[in-house]
Amino acid sequence: PLTPTPQPPVLRLYKTGDLARYLPDGNIEYLGRIDNQVKVRGFRIELGEIEAIVSQHPQVQGAAVIVREDTPGDKRLVAYITAEPSAIPSSNELRQYLKAKLPDYMVPSAFVLLETLPLTPSGKVDRRALPSPSDRRSSDTIVLPRNSVELKLTQIWSKILKLDLVGVKDNFFDLGGHSLLIPYLMAQIKQLFNKDIPLATLLQNPTIELLATVVQKDKDVDTKSDSPMLAIQPVGEQLPLFCVPGSGGYSLYLYNLARCLPPNQPFYTFQANYYQQEIAPVTHIEEVAARYIQAIQTVQPQGPYFLAGHSFGGKVAYEMAQQLLDRGEEVALLAILDTTPPGFGKTSDDWDDTQWLIDLVGAMKATFASDLELDVEKLLSLAPDAQIQYVLEYVKMFDILPPDADSTYLSHLLQSFMADHKAKYSPQQQVYPVRITLFRSSEIKIEENESFRDVFQDSTFGWSTISGVPVDVHFVPGNHTTMLHFPHVQVLAQQLNTCIQQAKLTTKNGQSAFSGF
């Protein structure tokens, strides 16, 4: 029989996508990938697959996904998308869409909306030109912190996750948190609150809102502090800005303003403590100003001082500046955010507690939730205690108050709101000797404020009548409340920061007129 001719062995080459080269000693040096496959936390990921799924979303026009390592050793997926301005998907919407189609490790930790994707001269996506997620602010609606514990946890998450804005209802893991970051989170909580949070507890309470309840359990950290001062942005090498909030001392609505200022600009505000059993009534603005000065000097014992105040807080900041000047201190900046000078205000001497409660809800509506519509007729039909409980349950539906707020909390908030409006004020100095910087909202309906027509038509809001030098006026977009909301607050922050830098330079050069009497 014929013996079959032996066949040579079949040789096959496999394309792995790896790029390598032979070294002179015969070893192989791995140089990287020649495709879009990457390795993140032990998983091999094809970026093109993620991009294809993202692009299938009906509101997405274009997409690019890359791995960023802004912090050495911390790799994360970031998706960049373009969309029609009239149909922009939220980050949460995109995240849930991808979770239904991809494993969790392939879902990007951040989504960045761009007008267009940057291109190379050859027409391909220029991945090196894609910005850091921290350079872009999310347009999603978020719930801002509502007490000091939520604020501190928000600051921790922002630092660890490298995100500008974090809401108290956001999920740590949905925002890109993972097992390698959990030890940092637990260590920061231990450092700030002296509480050991077990891993199981963190997994069961993955939002700031839930975690804050755990942190405060058995020991109300910070919420019962005697100090009225609250650090929204406590770090940075610049001199701090002390900003006084409007009526009621509910100060955390200034959070967006603080976050829009440069990260090295410390920002402090002031709050009433609604968890206290008793709140001392405020009868004179001079008393409030003196207490706030005592607080700020624990942080900054000497000037130059940078002061600001919104609405009612503008009058308090004005009095703080007066008292500091009387002490021989230097006030480098007095920024008044959309309020009239002493002597102007609403007439409300004949109001009862119910009318004040309705006015408080109106202020909450303007500041936090435009769709908040209180049933006034139902409110009027209730007894006083039932009115408080009704309003409490209603505003909690809009996430305006923290989950642990009770009727006592709301009653104290109402008392502070009323006291601020009724507080008497007669400045000792008739003429303020240094420059006042006024930020005016552009949207004012004079017909709704007919009694103040003359003041509103004056570009300085009347501040020129008590200022010894010309008032520095800046018009910013929005109305009295929306000037502190996105996107208007970004313009306000930019102009305010410019004024801070100018005042700092003037002070540094020794040319400042902002000295004591």
Side-chain angles (χ1 to χ4, degrees):
L2 296 175
T3 302
T5 304
Q7 299 294 321
V10 178
L11 299 177
R12 290 185 176 89
L13 292 175
Y14 293 91
K15 183 177 180 180
T16 65
D18 295 319
L19 180 64
R21 67 174 180 178
Y22 279 107
L23 297 177
D25 60 3
N27 288 320
I28 297 177
E29 180 184 8
Y30 174 72
L31 299 176
R33 299 288 301 176
I34 58 175
D35 55 14
N36 279 338
Q37 190 178 101
V38 295
K39 195 172 185 179
V40 178
R41 295 194 294 276
F43 296 100
R44 283 201 174 274
I45 298 172
E46 178 61 57
L47 297 178
E49 183 179 351
I50 304 175
E51 292 175 349
I53 299 297
V54 175
S55 299
Q56 290 174 11
H57 190 283
Q59 294 174 315
V60 173
Q61 291 184 323
V65 179
I66 64 172
V67 174
R68 297 194 66 92
E69 193 173 355
D70 298 308
T71 300
D74 181 21
K75 292 183 178 180
R76 57 176 178 155
L77 295 170
V78 179
Y80 300 83
I81 67 165
T82 59
E84 285 287 346
S86 59
I88 299 175
S90 68
S91 296
N92 286 336
E93 183 182 347
L94 290 170
R95 188 172 289 110
Q96 296 306 317
Y97 177 81
L98 294 181
K99 278 191 169 184
K101 298 176 178 292
L102 295 170
D104 286 346
Y105 66 84
M106 292 182 69
V107 177
S109 63
F111 295 86
V112 180
L113 176 67
L114 300 175
E115 293 182 5
T116 58
L117 295 174
L119 302 177
T120 64
S122 61
K124 297 182 179 180
V125 175
D126 187 353
R127 299 177 183 273
R128 293 184 178 181
L130 293 169
S132 167
S134 61
D135 296 334
R136 299 280 175 156
R137 295 183 181 273
S138 170
S139 61
D140 296 346
T141 300
I142 66 170
V143 178
L144 298 179
R146 298 155 299 190
N147 59 37
S148 58
V149 175
E150 288 185 348
L151 173 63
K152 289 183 180 298
L153 289 174
T154 299
Q155 293 167 344
I156 292 173
W157 285 29
S158 294
K159 179 180 179 181
I160 291 176
L161 298 173
K162 297 177 176 57
L163 296 175
D164 280 330
L165 290 176
V166 175
V168 300
K169 290 183 175 293
D170 290 336
N171 187 296
F172 180 77
F173 303 100
D174 285 348
L175 294 180
H178 51 79
S179 59
L180 297 180
L181 295 179
I182 289 178
Y184 295 99
L185 176 61
M186 297 170 71
Q188 287 290 309
I189 293 174
K190 172 68 174 178
Q191 180 179 342
L192 279 178
F193 302 107
N194 194 29
K195 297 207 82 169
D196 292 306
I197 304 297
L199 176 59
T201 300
L202 178 60
L203 295 176
Q204 294 165 7
N205 300 272
T207 70
I208 289 172
E209 181 179 65
L210 295 172
L211 195 56
T213 303
V214 175
V215 170
Q216 294 178 85
K217 191 174 183 180
D218 302 326
K219 183 179 180 181
D220 273 347
V221 185
D222 285 338
T223 56
K224 293 185 177 179
S225 171
D226 291 332
S227 174
M229 196 161 61
L230 183 65
I232 293 184
Q233 168 58 21
V235 298
E237 64 272 16
Q238 303 294 330
L239 286 173
L241 175 66
F242 301 97
C243 188
V244 187
S247 301
Y250 195 81
S251 56
L252 286 169
Y253 75 94
L254 297 170
Y255 179 80
N256 284 334
L257 175 60
R259 295 295 295 168
C260 286
L261 290 168
N264 63 345
Q265 176 60 64
F267 187 103
Y268 291 82
T269 186
F270 305 88
Q271 64 174 355
N273 194 333
Y274 310 115
Y275 290 96
Q276 291 179 349
Q277 292 300 313
E278 297 294 337
I279 293 182
V282 175
T283 58
H284 294 83
I285 285 179
E286 292 88 341
E287 299 171 9
V288 182
R291 186 177 182 221
Y292 287 179
I293 288 174
Q294 184 179 8
I296 70 175
Q297 289 188 327
T298 63
V299 173
Q300 185 187 345
Q302 296 179 326
Y305 291 101
F306 294 84
L307 306 177
H310 173 245
S311 194
F312 166 80
K315 294 179 175 64
V316 178
Y318 175 75
E319 174 59 23
M320 291 171 67
Q322 294 272 35
Q323 293 186 21
L324 286 167
L325 291 172
D326 278 338
R327 300 180 185 186
E329 295 288 357
E330 183 179 9
V331 178
L333 177 71
L334 173 58
I336 304 296
L337 308 184
D338 206 53
T339 193
T340 53
F344 297 89
K346 65 174 69 177
T347 302
S348 51
D349 294 337
D350 57 346
W351 283 10
D352 60 13
D353 286 358
T354 301
Q355 184 59 53
W356 279 110
L357 185 58
I358 294 172
D359 199 53
L360 173 61
V361 174
M364 290 179 173
K365 169 185 170 70
T367 305
F368 300 108
S370 60
D371 53 348
L372 191 156
E373 293 292 347
L374 185 68
D375 188 341
V376 176
E377 290 188 7
K378 181 174 181 179
L379 181 72
L380 294 173
S381 68
L382 300 173
D385 290 345
Q387 288 180 347
I388 291 289
Q389 191 62 37
Y390 171 68
V391 171
L392 175 67
E393 294 174 358
Y394 186 71
V395 298
K396 274 191 173 184
M397 292 169 54
F398 293 85
D399 298 313
I400 294 174
L401 299 183
D404 58 342
D406 54 15
S407 57
T408 301
Y409 180 99
L410 181 58
S411 294
H412 288 175
L413 175 57
L414 177 61
Q415 291 171 22
S416 295
F417 184 74
M418 294 167 57
D420 286 348
H421 277 286
K422 294 179 179 180
K424 298 177 182 179
Y425 184 35
S426 300
Q428 292 185 358
Q429 298 295 330
Q430 298 302 313
V431 177
Y432 187 69
V434 300
R435 186 177 301 281
I436 294 173
T437 302
L438 173 66
F439 292 88
R440 281 194 55 174
S441 60
S442 300
E443 301 172 11
I444 295 180
K445 295 182 179 180
I446 296 181
E447 63 274 11
E448 296 181 2
N449 300 272
E450 189 64 34
S451 59
F452 300 121
R453 174 179 289 273
D454 293 341
V455 175
F456 288 160
Q457 288 180 336
D458 174 12
S459 64
T460 71
F461 251 8
W463 287 98
S464 59
T465 61
I466 60 173
S467 177
V469 294
V471 177
D472 183 20
V473 182
H474 300 260
F475 284 87
V476 294
N479 60 33
H480 185 68
T481 53
T482 61
M483 64 187 287
L484 291 161
H485 297 178
F486 281 108
H488 304 324
V489 68
Q490 294 171 297
V491 178
L492 172 61
Q494 182 180 18
Q495 294 191 21
L496 178 58
N497 182 56
T498 299
C499 293
I500 292 173
Q501 301 309 316
Q502 290 174 346
K504 184 174 65 174
L505 287 174
T506 304
T507 301
K508 182 179 179 180
N509 292 334
Q511 300 171 352
S512 173
F514 312 137
S515 56
F517 296 113

